[in-house]
Amino acid sequence: VAVLIIACPCALGLATPISIMVASGRGAESGVLFREAAAIEALARVDTLILDKTGTITEGRPTLTDVVAGSGHAESDVLALAAALESVSEHPLARAVVEGAQKRGVPQRKVVGFESVTGQGVRGVIDGRTIQLGNAALVGAQAIPETLSMRADAMRRDAKTVMFVAIDGQVTGLVAVQDALKAGVAETLLELHQQGLRLVMLTGDNETTAHAVARSLPLDEVRANQSPADKARVVHDLQSAGARVAMAGDGINDAPALAAADVGIAMGNGTDIAMESAQVTLVKGELGGILRARRLSAATVRNIHQNLAFAFGYNALGVPIAAGVLYPFFGVLLSPMIAAAAMSLSSVSVISNALRLRNARI
């Protein structure tokens, strides 16, 4: 493992902003970027890790799996309306719906008056009709026909995300997408758990879907139906209870929580606003980067403590001798040449010790 330090302050001083790239044998693109020096020390002291679901625990590349039309409507119409709205959205789920519609040859429609409702879905006007696409909170749970509600529950138990389509306030169908877990995520979370971290998953998804995704993961807590404000509130509540919190996420909805956490960790393949809100970026979006970052944090903090011990040790011995504290007893004075050599040796020892981080096993 190589550690590349960019714009490093003297002796890794933690007060100055610093960028550090940790690159594995596969290259820098699989590494970790620290945007702030303080995050190095803070990450080593974290005891709670909050994780977003989509794009953090899962791949963030969902695919369209199901289209269900209500009575009197065609599946192609339901999908066409959903795809028209999602063609304007930047959410990862939107791409899945649009690509699914394209593969099925559904004609594209034009949407006007597009509006994104944070944590709920999207709405707009298509062919003079108001179309809504999102969760039950957006379309109104009481407006969902029982048959569609039952189908939606079954899909959620299979870890699928369900979005309802409503025309002028009437729910006419649903679309479902599914996102696979990232490779090795269970093993990574298990190792983080074994290090003593409390693992909490937050998601704006439905309760049933959230628990279906979490079923095979070593999580301590799962919270569903979380808005961006809810996620930030969870961070504040944990901090108020004395926890040192790291938050890992990739989307616009995660930005408030990333900024509120003691350490914000952004996925490098996520949104720009998430990376701007975080102090640490996992360049390739691999959760294994959190393990590498924590190991580097621990190694760096340990190295800083060693360097401080070297510096204080030299001064604690050299300054009193140079001041003549031994002269009344032994007649010993410190030669200026020896003092200069000792000062040089102090700097050399500190720098040499810091350079050992290049060979840190992370």
Side-chain angles (χ1 to χ4, degrees), residues 132-144:
Q132 296 172 299
L133 174 70
N135 58 25
L138 180 71
V139 301
Q142 70 280 357
I144 302 173

Side-chain angles (χ1 to χ4, degrees), residues 13-294:
L14 291 182
T16 306
I18 182 174
S19 294
I20 297 181
M21 177 72 75
V22 185
S24 73
R26 291 169 293 174
E29 72 278 2
S30 62
V32 181
L33 176 66
F34 285 86
R35 296 180 62 243
E36 298 179 7
I40 300 175
E41 184 176 11
L43 188 58
R45 297 185 290 109
V46 160
D47 55 30
T48 302
L49 175 62
I50 298 176
L51 303 125
D52 172 52
K53 180 178 75 69
T54 304
T56 303
I57 288 178
T58 63
E59 290 283 359
R61 294 192 294 271
T63 56
L64 181 69
T65 57
D66 301 271
V67 179
V68 179
S71 177
H73 297 273
E75 289 185 2
S76 58
D77 290 336
V78 171
L79 182 55
L81 294 173
L85 283 175
E86 295 290 45
S87 66
V88 193
S89 175
E90 297 180 353
H91 196 280
L93 300 182
R95 185 172 60 249
V97 174
V98 173
E99 291 178 353
Q102 291 172 345
K103 289 178 181 178
R104 300 186 186 200
V106 173
Q108 187 173 358
R109 299 189 185 183
K110 185 178 180 180
V111 58
V112 296
F114 175 83
E115 180 186 0
S116 176
V117 183
T118 304
Q120 295 185 8
V122 293
R123 63 166 66 102
V125 177
I126 301 174
D127 298 333
R129 298 178 297 177
T130 300
I131 311 300
Q132 296 172 299
L133 174 70
N135 58 25
L138 180 71
V139 301
Q142 70 280 357
I144 302 173
E146 185 178 358
T147 53
L148 290 179
S149 181
M150 292 175 63
R151 291 289 299 274
D153 287 340
M155 293 174 187
R156 289 168 181 147
R157 287 192 290 271
D158 290 331
K160 297 177 182 179
T161 298
V162 175
M163 294 169 282
F164 295 99
V165 179
I167 302 175
D168 293 329
Q170 300 295 316
V171 178
T172 58
L174 61 83
V175 294
V177 300
Q178 191 166 30
D179 196 6
L181 292 175
K182 287 184 176 180
V185 66
E187 292 79 4
T188 298
L189 293 180
L190 179 60
E191 188 167 347
L192 288 168
H193 198 275
Q194 290 172 342
Q195 291 182 5
L197 284 180
R198 179 188 179 194
L199 304 179
V200 181
M201 186 181 82
L202 301 183
T203 177
D205 220 329
N206 178 273
E207 190 88 30
T208 304
T209 303
H211 283 281
V213 171
R215 200 160 40 212
S216 60
L217 302 176
L219 298 170
D220 296 292
E221 187 177 354
V222 176
R223 299 194 189 189
N225 300 310
Q226 298 289 301
S227 68
D230 291 334
K231 292 180 180 181
R233 192 176 302 112
V234 170
V235 172
H236 287 303
D237 290 345
L238 289 171
Q239 289 172 328
S240 298
R244 298 186 179 96
V245 181
M247 167 72 190
D250 75 316
I252 295 173
N253 291 347
D254 303 317
L258 289 170
D262 295 285
V263 182
I265 304 172
M267 302 295 114
N269 52 359
T271 61
D272 290 341
I273 190 171
M275 287 184 277
E276 285 296 323
S277 301
Q279 297 85 42
V280 180
T281 298
L282 307 183
V283 177
K284 207 173 180 180
E286 298 175 347
L287 279 181
I290 298 178
L291 283 170
R292 293 195 290 275
R294 274 180 59 81

Side-chain angles (χ1 to χ4, degrees), residues 311 314-315 318-319 336-350:
Y314 273 106
N315 283 284
V319 171
M337 289 187 293
I338 296 177
M343 286 302 296
S344 299
L345 183 60
S346 172
S347 298
V348 169
S349 64
V350 167

